[in-house]
Amino acid sequence: MERVQGGAGHAARRAAELYGAVRAGETDVARLRERREPRRVLGLLEFATQGRREERDAYLRRLTASPDAVAMVRPWLGPAERARLDVAGGRAPAVPPLLAMLSRGTEEDRRYALEALAVKRPMEATEPLFGLLGVLGPDESSWYPGLIEDTVSRIVIGRHLPFWRRTARSGPVPPATCVPLLLRQACRAAPRARRLALALLGCDRDPAHLDLFLVAAGDPDESAAAEAFVALWRLDVPEARDRLAAVLTEPSRSPQERLVASVLLGRAGDRRAFETLVLFLNHRDPWNTLAAAEALTRLGDPRTARAAAALATNRLRIAYALAAVRLLGRLRAPESLPALTSTLTWLLDEGRTGYQAAAGCVEELGRLGDERAVPVLTRAVGDPRLRIAAVDSLGRIGGPHVLETLLGVASGEDAEVRAAAARGLARYGDEPRATAALVGLCAPPYPRRIVRALVRSGDPAAAPVLAAVRDGAPSAATRRLAGRFRPDPPRTATP
């Protein structure tokens, strides 16, 4: 896209005028293209209407070239986008006025000031923000403390602080000039300030802070203790792992603290976390089970498959067995197929296929790709709640027995079932019956997987439908693919 510079202010102003109509739902970019608006204007509008923040920011930066366009667009923006626009154009207030807006401004002023500070990244604003975080009362709006923490994080390390489940050992580190301030804030009485300082110090990964983290691991505030756990995990030294392992057996610890410590130990490959992770693998909270399953996968303990199989086949806890089922499919261990087959068979016999574990078993059996799962998956095709997933899994496995089932459901009334059957039949390549079924399933918008299978088959019976694809497919890539078809003598090999 052409860059909007000083001489292109007309395009920016026109885009700003249309932007309001697009946001109000009065028009859209497609209709404006039909009205033959200039390409540069349409490019700016496409940036403006994107949901991704990076592309909207690019649009705002281009608008700064035209003061008239900025004045026109500014009232349509929220406080955060207005702050980014002002900082990019050099019109944002200095740091002291922004800090003053935090103490006596409206909600919109506060959001504007915090976003402007986060974009400008003035290190001198860090201490006042920490001070403000420590004096907030319980009646303060719930969004305000979290936004202050996010602003401090973006100033110090240049990004949002990730949640502990998605944290990584490597990443940006705070500048050395901020470390003394963070050390002071880590010893403050305000729990929010302690938690934020510990989280930012943990990014530094400095062994000199080990003693501080060891003490903070016993913090009465669970969130601050969790940040200390993450910091200890990042250090990756024996003393830190021993402290995390001790959390698992301390009677005063909450279940959440044990979960954080065990997941971090599992990521570090420490097998002392195995028993605790297995307990959380069958927990009522699905997020806890997902975190435990991911940690067990990384841990690589040979007992994991047996434990997951025992949990997946526990009929009294079947409502919470989805994570164990998924873990069995991921491990691809010898215990995976018997456990998944047994669980799915029992659920089908008892008519309990509404449980998430039933759909999980069907999908994981398809990923395993073992032909021994075909009989139970064929039974699952008869259940309306599992039919689509079962057809998809059978298509992944393949084989002559599966072909008969796929051909049977390919002529059904359910469009999603037909689509799943088509995906499976496309894997049969040059099987004449599969090709004939795909010809019947190849309809607008002409799925590329079906078109590719027909092209590879070389079956002359596919020529008419591929000619229709070549002339009428909405995708240019699909039309080119159909144009590669060269009819060959029919072949009868079965995969």
Side-chain angles (χ1 to χ4, degrees), residues 248-322:
L248 306 181
T249 56
E250 291 176 1
S252 60
R253 294 294 183 174
S254 68
Q256 186 65 21
E257 289 176 310
R258 289 194 176 95
L259 172 67
V260 176
S262 62
V263 168
L264 294 174
L265 280 173
R267 291 181 181 177
D270 193 317
R271 294 187 178 178
R272 287 176 288 184
F274 176 76
E275 287 80 6
T276 307
L277 289 174
V278 169
L279 289 176
F280 279 107
L281 185 62
N282 203 228
H283 197 263
R284 293 187 177 187
D285 187 336
W287 293 108
N288 291 350
T289 61
L290 288 175
E294 184 260 345
L296 283 168
T297 304
R298 294 194 187 187
L299 182 60
D301 193 297
R303 300 170 290 173
T304 302
R306 293 194 299 275
L311 294 175
T313 54
N314 185 350
R315 299 178 181 183
L316 298 178
R317 300 280 296 179
I318 195 64
Y320 313 114
L322 179 61

Side-chain angles (χ1 to χ4, degrees), residues 57-71:
D57 286 351
Y59 168 76
L60 295 175
R61 285 195 297 271
R62 282 162 172 75
L63 281 188
T64 58
S66 170
D68 293 340
V70 170

